[in-house]
Short mmCIF file of all heavy atoms in Angstrom, two decimals:
data_model
loop_
_atom_site.label_atom_id
_atom_site.label_comp_id
_atom_site.label_asym_id
_atom_site.label_seq_id
_atom_site.Cartn_x
_atom_site.Cartn_y
_atom_site.Cartn_z
N SER X 1 -15.48 -6.60 20.82
CA SER X 1 -16.03 -5.90 19.66
C SER X 1 -15.04 -5.98 18.50
O SER X 1 -13.84 -6.18 18.70
CB SER X 1 -16.30 -4.44 20.01
OG SER X 1 -16.62 -3.67 18.87
N TYR X 2 -15.58 -5.81 17.28
CA TYR X 2 -14.74 -5.80 16.09
C TYR X 2 -14.32 -4.39 15.67
O TYR X 2 -13.55 -4.24 14.71
CB TYR X 2 -15.50 -6.44 14.91
CG TYR X 2 -15.68 -7.93 15.00
CD1 TYR X 2 -16.92 -8.48 15.29
CD2 TYR X 2 -14.62 -8.80 14.76
CE1 TYR X 2 -17.11 -9.84 15.35
CE2 TYR X 2 -14.80 -10.17 14.83
CZ TYR X 2 -16.04 -10.69 15.13
OH TYR X 2 -16.23 -12.05 15.19
N VAL X 3 -14.80 -3.36 16.36
CA VAL X 3 -14.60 -1.98 15.92
C VAL X 3 -13.13 -1.62 15.80
O VAL X 3 -12.70 -0.98 14.83
CB VAL X 3 -15.33 -1.00 16.86
CG1 VAL X 3 -14.96 0.45 16.52
CG2 VAL X 3 -16.84 -1.19 16.76
N THR X 4 -12.32 -2.02 16.79
CA THR X 4 -10.88 -1.73 16.74
C THR X 4 -10.24 -2.33 15.49
O THR X 4 -9.38 -1.71 14.86
CB THR X 4 -10.18 -2.27 17.99
OG1 THR X 4 -10.77 -1.69 19.16
CG2 THR X 4 -8.70 -1.91 17.96
N ALA X 5 -10.67 -3.51 15.13
CA ALA X 5 -10.15 -4.17 13.92
C ALA X 5 -10.48 -3.35 12.67
O ALA X 5 -9.64 -3.19 11.79
CB ALA X 5 -10.72 -5.58 13.80
N TRP X 6 -11.69 -2.82 12.59
CA TRP X 6 -12.09 -2.05 11.40
C TRP X 6 -11.25 -0.79 11.27
O TRP X 6 -10.84 -0.42 10.16
CB TRP X 6 -13.57 -1.69 11.45
CG TRP X 6 -14.54 -2.82 11.64
CD1 TRP X 6 -15.79 -2.73 12.18
CD2 TRP X 6 -14.41 -4.21 11.29
NE1 TRP X 6 -16.43 -3.94 12.21
CE2 TRP X 6 -15.59 -4.88 11.66
CE3 TRP X 6 -13.38 -4.96 10.72
CZ2 TRP X 6 -15.79 -6.24 11.47
CZ3 TRP X 6 -13.59 -6.33 10.55
CH2 TRP X 6 -14.77 -6.95 10.91
N TYR X 7 -10.97 -0.11 12.38
CA TYR X 7 -10.12 1.09 12.33
C TYR X 7 -8.69 0.73 11.91
O TYR X 7 -8.05 1.45 11.13
CB TYR X 7 -10.09 1.80 13.68
CG TYR X 7 -11.30 2.69 13.93
CD1 TYR X 7 -12.23 2.39 14.91
CD2 TYR X 7 -11.48 3.85 13.18
CE1 TYR X 7 -13.33 3.20 15.14
CE2 TYR X 7 -12.58 4.68 13.39
CZ TYR X 7 -13.49 4.34 14.37
OH TYR X 7 -14.58 5.15 14.59
N PHE X 8 -8.19 -0.37 12.41
CA PHE X 8 -6.85 -0.82 12.05
C PHE X 8 -6.76 -1.15 10.56
O PHE X 8 -5.79 -0.79 9.89
CB PHE X 8 -6.48 -2.02 12.90
CG PHE X 8 -5.09 -2.57 12.62
CD1 PHE X 8 -3.96 -1.77 12.76
CD2 PHE X 8 -4.93 -3.88 12.22
CE1 PHE X 8 -2.70 -2.27 12.50
CE2 PHE X 8 -3.67 -4.39 11.97
CZ PHE X 8 -2.55 -3.59 12.11
N TYR X 9 -7.76 -1.81 10.04
CA TYR X 9 -7.78 -2.15 8.61
C TYR X 9 -7.89 -0.91 7.73
O TYR X 9 -7.39 -0.87 6.60
CB TYR X 9 -8.92 -3.11 8.31
CG TYR X 9 -8.77 -4.47 8.97
CD1 TYR X 9 -9.89 -5.24 9.27
CD2 TYR X 9 -7.52 -4.98 9.28
CE1 TYR X 9 -9.77 -6.48 9.87
CE2 TYR X 9 -7.39 -6.23 9.89
CZ TYR X 9 -8.51 -6.97 10.19
OH TYR X 9 -8.38 -8.19 10.79
N LEU X 10 -8.56 0.11 8.25
CA LEU X 10 -8.65 1.37 7.51
C LEU X 10 -7.26 1.98 7.32
O LEU X 10 -6.93 2.49 6.24
CB LEU X 10 -9.57 2.34 8.27
CG LEU X 10 -10.00 3.62 7.53
CD1 LEU X 10 -10.79 3.28 6.28
CD2 LEU X 10 -10.84 4.51 8.46
N LEU X 11 -6.44 1.91 8.36
CA LEU X 11 -5.06 2.38 8.27
C LEU X 11 -4.25 1.54 7.28
O LEU X 11 -3.49 2.07 6.47
CB LEU X 11 -4.41 2.34 9.65
CG LEU X 11 -2.91 2.68 9.73
CD1 LEU X 11 -2.67 4.13 9.31
CD2 LEU X 11 -2.39 2.46 11.16
N LEU X 12 -4.45 0.23 7.32
CA LEU X 12 -3.71 -0.66 6.43
C LEU X 12 -4.05 -0.44 4.97
O LEU X 12 -3.20 -0.65 4.10
CB LEU X 12 -3.98 -2.12 6.81
CG LEU X 12 -3.35 -2.65 8.10
CD1 LEU X 12 -3.64 -4.14 8.27
CD2 LEU X 12 -1.85 -2.38 8.15
N SER X 13 -5.28 -0.03 4.66
CA SER X 13 -5.66 0.22 3.27
C SER X 13 -4.80 1.32 2.66
O SER X 13 -4.46 1.27 1.47
CB SER X 13 -7.15 0.58 3.18
OG SER X 13 -7.43 1.79 3.83
N ALA X 14 -4.43 2.34 3.46
CA ALA X 14 -3.54 3.39 2.97
C ALA X 14 -2.13 2.85 2.74
O ALA X 14 -1.45 3.21 1.76
CB ALA X 14 -3.50 4.55 3.97
N VAL X 15 -1.68 1.97 3.63
CA VAL X 15 -0.36 1.36 3.48
C VAL X 15 -0.29 0.51 2.21
O VAL X 15 0.71 0.53 1.49
CB VAL X 15 -0.01 0.51 4.72
CG1 VAL X 15 1.33 -0.20 4.52
CG2 VAL X 15 0.03 1.37 5.98
N ILE X 16 -1.35 -0.23 1.93
CA ILE X 16 -1.41 -1.06 0.72
C ILE X 16 -1.25 -0.21 -0.54
O ILE X 16 -0.51 -0.55 -1.46
CB ILE X 16 -2.73 -1.85 0.68
CG1 ILE X 16 -2.79 -2.85 1.83
CG2 ILE X 16 -2.89 -2.57 -0.66
CD1 ILE X 16 -4.17 -3.42 2.06
N PHE X 17 -1.95 0.91 -0.57
CA PHE X 17 -1.86 1.82 -1.72
C PHE X 17 -0.43 2.29 -1.93
O PHE X 17 0.08 2.30 -3.05
CB PHE X 17 -2.80 3.01 -1.50
CG PHE X 17 -2.70 4.06 -2.57
CD1 PHE X 17 -3.29 3.87 -3.81
CD2 PHE X 17 -2.00 5.24 -2.34
CE1 PHE X 17 -3.20 4.84 -4.80
CE2 PHE X 17 -1.91 6.20 -3.33
CZ PHE X 17 -2.51 6.00 -4.56
N ILE X 18 0.23 2.69 -0.85
CA ILE X 18 1.62 3.17 -0.93
C ILE X 18 2.54 2.08 -1.46
O ILE X 18 3.42 2.33 -2.29
CB ILE X 18 2.09 3.68 0.44
CG1 ILE X 18 1.30 4.93 0.85
CG2 ILE X 18 3.58 3.99 0.42
CD1 ILE X 18 1.54 5.36 2.28
N LEU X 19 2.35 0.85 -1.02
CA LEU X 19 3.20 -0.26 -1.46
C LEU X 19 3.03 -0.54 -2.95
O LEU X 19 4.01 -0.75 -3.67
CB LEU X 19 2.87 -1.51 -0.65
CG LEU X 19 3.30 -1.51 0.82
CD1 LEU X 19 2.71 -2.70 1.56
CD2 LEU X 19 4.83 -1.51 0.93
N TYR X 20 1.78 -0.55 -3.44
CA TYR X 20 1.54 -0.79 -4.87
C TYR X 20 2.20 0.30 -5.73
O TYR X 20 2.86 0.01 -6.73
CB TYR X 20 0.05 -0.82 -5.16
CG TYR X 20 -0.62 -2.14 -4.84
CD1 TYR X 20 -1.88 -2.19 -4.26
CD2 TYR X 20 0.00 -3.35 -5.14
CE1 TYR X 20 -2.49 -3.39 -3.98
CE2 TYR X 20 -0.61 -4.55 -4.85
CZ TYR X 20 -1.85 -4.57 -4.26
OH TYR X 20 -2.47 -5.76 -3.98
N ILE X 21 2.01 1.54 -5.34
CA ILE X 21 2.57 2.66 -6.10
C ILE X 21 4.10 2.63 -6.06
O ILE X 21 4.77 2.88 -7.07
CB ILE X 21 2.05 4.01 -5.57
CG1 ILE X 21 0.53 4.10 -5.75
CG2 ILE X 21 2.73 5.17 -6.27
CD1 ILE X 21 0.08 3.99 -7.18
N SER X 22 4.67 2.31 -4.92
CA SER X 22 6.12 2.24 -4.78
C SER X 22 6.71 1.15 -5.66
O SER X 22 7.76 1.34 -6.30
CB SER X 22 6.51 2.00 -3.32
OG SER X 22 6.06 3.05 -2.48
N ALA X 23 6.04 -0.01 -5.72
CA ALA X 23 6.51 -1.10 -6.57
C ALA X 23 6.49 -0.71 -8.04
O ALA X 23 7.42 -1.00 -8.79
CB ALA X 23 5.65 -2.35 -6.34
N ASP X 24 5.42 -0.04 -8.47
CA ASP X 24 5.31 0.38 -9.87
C ASP X 24 6.35 1.43 -10.22
O ASP X 24 6.94 1.39 -11.31
CB ASP X 24 3.90 0.92 -10.13
CG ASP X 24 3.62 1.08 -11.62
OD1 ASP X 24 3.78 0.09 -12.36
OD2 ASP X 24 3.23 2.19 -12.03
N ARG X 25 6.59 2.37 -9.33
CA ARG X 25 7.61 3.39 -9.58
C ARG X 25 9.00 2.78 -9.66
O ARG X 25 9.82 3.19 -10.50
CB ARG X 25 7.56 4.45 -8.48
CG ARG X 25 6.36 5.40 -8.59
CD ARG X 25 6.38 6.44 -7.50
NE ARG X 25 5.29 7.40 -7.66
CZ ARG X 25 5.02 8.37 -6.80
NH1 ARG X 25 5.79 8.53 -5.71
NH2 ARG X 25 4.01 9.20 -7.02
N GLU X 26 9.29 1.81 -8.79
CA GLU X 26 10.59 1.16 -8.82
C GLU X 26 10.78 0.40 -10.13
O GLU X 26 11.85 0.41 -10.73
CB GLU X 26 10.70 0.21 -7.64
CG GLU X 26 12.12 -0.25 -7.31
CD GLU X 26 12.55 -1.50 -8.05
OE1 GLU X 26 11.68 -2.16 -8.62
OE2 GLU X 26 13.74 -1.81 -8.07
N TYR X 27 9.71 -0.24 -10.61
CA TYR X 27 9.77 -0.95 -11.88
C TYR X 27 10.01 0.01 -13.04
O TYR X 27 10.86 -0.25 -13.90
CB TYR X 27 8.46 -1.72 -12.09
CG TYR X 27 8.33 -2.33 -13.47
CD1 TYR X 27 9.06 -3.45 -13.83
CD2 TYR X 27 7.47 -1.77 -14.42
CE1 TYR X 27 8.94 -4.01 -15.09
CE2 TYR X 27 7.35 -2.33 -15.68
CZ TYR X 27 8.08 -3.44 -16.01
OH TYR X 27 7.96 -3.99 -17.27
N GLU X 28 9.28 1.11 -13.09
CA GLU X 28 9.44 2.08 -14.17
C GLU X 28 10.84 2.70 -14.15
O GLU X 28 11.42 2.97 -15.21
CB GLU X 28 8.38 3.17 -14.05
CG GLU X 28 6.97 2.67 -14.37
CD GLU X 28 5.92 3.75 -14.26
OE1 GLU X 28 6.23 4.81 -13.64
OE2 GLU X 28 4.80 3.57 -14.76
N ARG X 29 11.39 2.91 -12.97
CA ARG X 29 12.74 3.45 -12.86
C ARG X 29 13.76 2.49 -13.44
O ARG X 29 14.69 2.89 -14.16
CB ARG X 29 13.05 3.74 -11.38
CG ARG X 29 14.44 4.35 -11.15
CD ARG X 29 14.64 4.70 -9.69
NE ARG X 29 14.55 3.53 -8.84
CZ ARG X 29 15.54 2.65 -8.65
NH1 ARG X 29 16.72 2.84 -9.27
NH2 ARG X 29 15.36 1.61 -7.87
N ARG X 30 13.60 1.19 -13.15
CA ARG X 30 14.52 0.19 -13.69
C ARG X 30 14.42 0.09 -15.22
O ARG X 30 15.44 -0.03 -15.92
CB ARG X 30 14.21 -1.18 -13.07
CG ARG X 30 14.56 -1.29 -11.59
CD ARG X 30 16.07 -1.26 -11.39
NE ARG X 30 16.43 -1.44 -10.00
CZ ARG X 30 16.71 -2.61 -9.44
NH1 ARG X 30 16.68 -3.70 -10.18
NH2 ARG X 30 17.01 -2.70 -8.15
N VAL X 31 13.18 0.15 -15.73
CA VAL X 31 12.98 0.11 -17.17
C VAL X 31 13.63 1.31 -17.85
O VAL X 31 14.28 1.20 -18.89
CB VAL X 31 11.47 0.05 -17.50
CG1 VAL X 31 11.25 0.22 -19.00
CG2 VAL X 31 10.87 -1.26 -17.04
N LEU X 32 13.47 2.50 -17.25
CA LEU X 32 14.06 3.72 -17.79
C LEU X 32 15.58 3.64 -17.80
O LEU X 32 16.23 4.06 -18.76
CB LEU X 32 13.60 4.93 -16.99
CG LEU X 32 14.06 6.31 -17.49
CD1 LEU X 32 13.53 6.57 -18.90
CD2 LEU X 32 13.60 7.41 -16.53
N GLN X 33 16.14 3.08 -16.75
CA GLN X 33 17.59 2.93 -16.68
C GLN X 33 18.11 2.02 -17.79
O GLN X 33 19.14 2.29 -18.42
CB GLN X 33 18.00 2.38 -15.31
CG GLN X 33 17.89 3.39 -14.17
CD GLN X 33 18.25 2.77 -12.83
OE1 GLN X 33 18.35 1.55 -12.70
NE2 GLN X 33 18.44 3.62 -11.83
#
């Protein structure tokens, strides 16, 4: 079945969001410095 894959990808979608936000915050911090 593909069901396990769909649940795993649901978790990864949250990780993706965190990575994008973290990259943007790191960039803004460098610019501010």
Side-chain angles (χ1 to χ4, degrees):
S1 171
Y2 288 107
V3 172
T4 302
W6 306 155
Y7 278 113
F8 180 58
Y9 295 153
L10 191 61
L11 175 64
L12 288 184
S13 65
V15 176
I16 294 166
F17 175 77
I18 294 170
L19 289 170
Y20 279 140
I21 297 300
S22 298
D24 192 55
R25 286 181 176 176
E26 196 271 346
Y27 171 74
E28 290 180 344
R29 181 176 61 80
R30 291 291 183 93
V31 171
L32 184 61
Q33 287 177 347

